[in-house]
Amino acid sequence: MNGKLTMIKVVQAFDRMPLAEVADDEEVALERKLDTAARIFGNRDCWLKPYQRIEILQRLVTLMEGKREHFSRQIAREGGKPLTDAIVEVGRAIDGVRNATEVLRTAGGREIPMGITPASVDRWAFTIIEPLGVVVAISAFNHPLNLIVHQLVPAIAVGCPVIVKPAPATPLCCVDFVALVREAGLPEGWCETALLENNELAEKLATDPRVAFLTFIGSSRVGWHLRSKLPPGTRCALEHGGAAPAIIDRSADLDQIIDPLVKGGYYHAGQVCVSTQRIYVHADIERAFLDRFAARVAALRVGDPVFAETEVGPLIHPREADRVSGWIEEASAGGASVIGGGRITDTTLLPAIIVNPPAEAKVSTQEVFGPVTCVSRFIKLDEAIAAANALPMAFQASVFTEDLRSALRAAERLDASAVMINDHTAFRTDWMPFAGRRQSGYGVGGIPATMHAMTEEKMIVFRK
């Protein structure tokens, strides 16, 4: 160590102008935080009672309410999410904290039946809920406040010490949120940040044997690698991405479906793990659908996310814009038609629609994570379902139809953790279960489900 702090430079996503600098944690600081978390969890006299945790979270809600505008603008600036959507994210984050307090009021153990065999006579058994242990959270850039809430607040609520590593591109909301948690009264050591650009240190944090639970949101390559390195006994939840399919049945009401599909495909410039990417439209309505869809996509207002009128902002980094542009060019060279597209800044792409992309193209087989949707025709519903299920990742899916039989058939046969009927694939509420299947993830997210995952039952048996 040379005594000089290494700084992480944070820039605005849209124009790459400097925004702030935060100190990068070194190995010594990381060790201190891990040691503190393990030590305070190991001393049961330090554990906070449920009513104390509820009071802290209630104060946190009040503090966050007072920072609505601050967080909204910070999300827009560091993450590039349009301000109108950033405002919604802040509201969801505040409600997520409330949701955790509500779950705490009803969470509890259960009675285990006894006396139902001769050997179990004169016994009384029940379970209590205990926190699992030290939690490490590794978060993503695309929802820099709400994802932090989803990973930290369940740990705080159930009584687990938690160390969070935000994405290096968007650490500011996380730093401010953890400061509010402290202001709300959570004792020192129970919630810490790990500000890291060094991937080796991040892996060391995630795979430390003192960690009981890893919650990871990010790429499948990194997530599955970390899971393979976890020591015995460490649990985890992984949330990766997908290439979410939406099926437009011939009975679909075009007057009702265009806006939801545009929202699902281009919200946050497509940088959402369940963003609508593959649209399968019945041949009978393909032309009418494309005309309306293309007109609405072309009308999207693209630009600086801090302006209230902006609907589509930038990608998080110029290299991501390079990648997405390259994928569009590859599909076009393979015979697909491209509607829209183009680049207006280093990070900002105009929304594109790729019509009938090659089956082997990257836009057809991988997660685009950009302002791109792919439209392909089908004749029979089962053909669309088979195409939707063809990839090794599976998350959320949609079917748009006015026919009940088609809705139920698609809902039953689509390989997805959630199927939306007449709504886009990116719909979610923060209390609903949220999970990827196969390569798209492991475990279940959502505030209540994450709280459950971060606890374990202890059975107590009395003999009369």
Side-chain angles (χ1 to χ4, degrees):
M1 293 179 60
N2 58 16
K4 185 178 180 181
L5 288 175
T6 302
M7 305 302 290
I8 299 173
K9 296 179 180 179
V10 186
V11 301
Q12 295 188 144
F14 178 69
D15 56 16
R16 313 301 291 167
M17 293 295 292
L19 187 55
E21 291 187 350
V22 295
D24 194 337
D25 277 311
E26 296 182 336
E27 190 166 6
V28 171
L30 208 56
E31 171 59 30
R32 183 176 65 250
K33 292 174 182 180
L34 273 167
D35 181 69
T36 299
R39 177 173 45 80
I40 61 176
F41 185 75
N43 180 1
R44 288 183 177 244
D45 290 337
C46 290
W47 287 14
L48 298 172
K49 300 290 190 292
Y51 82 89
Q52 293 173 306
R53 287 178 255 138
I54 289 173
E55 288 176 350
I56 290 167
L57 294 175
Q58 288 173 333
R59 287 193 291 270
L60 179 59
V61 166
T62 301
L63 292 170
M64 291 176 72
E65 291 278 10
K67 290 274 192 177
R68 277 183 181 267
E69 184 176 353
H70 167 78
F71 276 123
S72 298
R73 293 201 168 272
Q74 192 142 275
I75 290 167
R77 295 175 73 192
E78 69 172 336
K81 179 177 288 187
L83 183 60
T84 52
D85 294 324
I87 291 169
V88 173
E89 178 176 339
V90 175
R92 286 178 57 184
I94 293 170
D95 191 61
V97 180
R98 289 195 188 99
N99 187 204
T101 65
E102 294 162 358
V103 175
L104 267 182
R105 291 184 182 279
T106 57
R110 58 198 174 94
E111 183 180 357
I112 307 298
M114 289 288 151
I116 57 177
T117 65
S120 64
V121 167
D122 292 333
R123 287 168 176 83
W124 176 43
F126 60 92
T127 64
I128 60 174
I129 305 297
E130 292 188 333
L132 194 60
V134 177
V135 171
V136 162
I138 296 180
S139 203
F141 75 85
N142 52 337
H143 308 291
L145 179 62
N146 201 35
L147 291 183
I148 296 297
V149 165
H150 270 257
Q151 294 175 288
L152 267 62
V153 167
I156 295 167
V158 302
C160 292
V162 58
I163 301 172
V164 56
K165 178 201 170 300
T170 55
L172 302 182
C173 283
C174 178
V175 170
D176 289 348
F177 178 77
V178 171
L180 289 188
V181 169
R182 297 270 184 79
E183 188 178 343
L186 190 70
E188 190 173 351
W190 284 91
C191 183
E192 297 281 355
T193 57
L195 305 176
L196 301 168
E197 282 191 309
N198 185 310
N199 290 335
E200 290 182 7
L201 272 185
E203 180 174 325
K204 186 173 182 179
L205 170 66
T207 60
D208 190 281
R210 289 165 289 188
V211 175
F213 191 88
L214 169 67
T215 165
F216 172 88
I217 302 175
S219 75
S220 60
R221 179 185 61 81
V222 175
W224 292 116
H225 170 75
L226 290 178
R227 182 172 179 261
S228 75
K229 298 289 185 179
L230 294 180
T234 301
R235 301 180 189 177
C236 70
L238 311 176
E239 183 186 309
H240 304 144
I247 297 173
I248 316 300
D249 185 46
R250 75 166 82 186
S251 66
D253 184 346
L254 294 182
D255 290 333
Q256 300 296 320
I257 73 172
I258 299 300
D259 281 344
L261 276 168
V262 170
K263 186 68 174 180
Y266 300 96
Y267 163 65
H268 198 7
Q271 298 171 115
V272 181
C273 59
V274 287
S275 179
T276 303
Q277 180 174 321
R278 297 175 293 147
I279 300 173
Y280 300 98
V281 57
H282 195 280
D284 287 357
I285 59 170
E286 179 190 17
R287 188 70 263 161
F289 168 78
L290 269 174
D291 288 346
R292 296 193 191 193
F293 187 62
R296 181 65 186 92
V297 171
L300 288 169
R301 290 163 293 192
V302 183
D304 192 330
V306 301
F307 297 138
E309 64 269 19
T310 299
E311 295 175 284
V312 178
L315 299 183
I316 193 62
H317 196 278
R319 65 173 174 267
E320 290 301 304
D322 292 342
R323 176 188 58 80
V324 174
S325 296
W327 287 17
I328 294 171
E329 291 169 6
E330 178 204 48
S332 177
S337 300
V338 179
I339 302 172
R343 193 164 183 165
I344 61 173
T345 74
D346 284 348
T347 55
T348 310
L349 301 179
L350 291 168
I353 303 167
I354 302 177
V355 183
N356 295 318
E360 69 279 3
K362 291 184 179 68
V363 294
S364 301
T365 58
Q366 299 181 39
E367 181 181 30
V368 174
F369 226 60
V372 177
T373 58
C374 301
V375 178
S376 304
R377 73 174 66 87
F378 72 90
I379 295 174
K380 294 184 178 180
L381 179 62
D382 284 357
E383 294 173 6
I385 293 171
N389 292 344
L391 300 184
M393 45 191 160
F395 214 139
Q396 298 195 164
S398 289
V399 56
F400 290 84
T401 181
E402 295 296 301
D403 181 81
L404 180 60
R405 188 181 298 275
S406 295
L408 294 176
R409 186 172 184 83
E412 182 180 59
R413 292 175 179 250
L414 280 167
D415 187 6
S417 58
V419 177
M420 312 301 163
I421 298 173
N422 293 328
D423 208 347
H424 60 74
T425 60
F427 172 80
R428 83 173 284 197
T429 65
D430 298 287
W431 58 87
M432 68 187 248
F434 191 69
R437 289 184 173 184
R438 294 188 278 149
Q439 292 185 15
S440 289
Y442 181 82
V444 181
I447 299 290
T450 302
M451 288 175 66
H452 177 74
M454 292 178 178
T455 60
E456 54 190 348
E457 284 187 301
K458 174 187 284 183
M459 186 171 65
I460 299 171
V461 182
F462 277 89
R463 186 173 185 179
K464 298 178 183 177

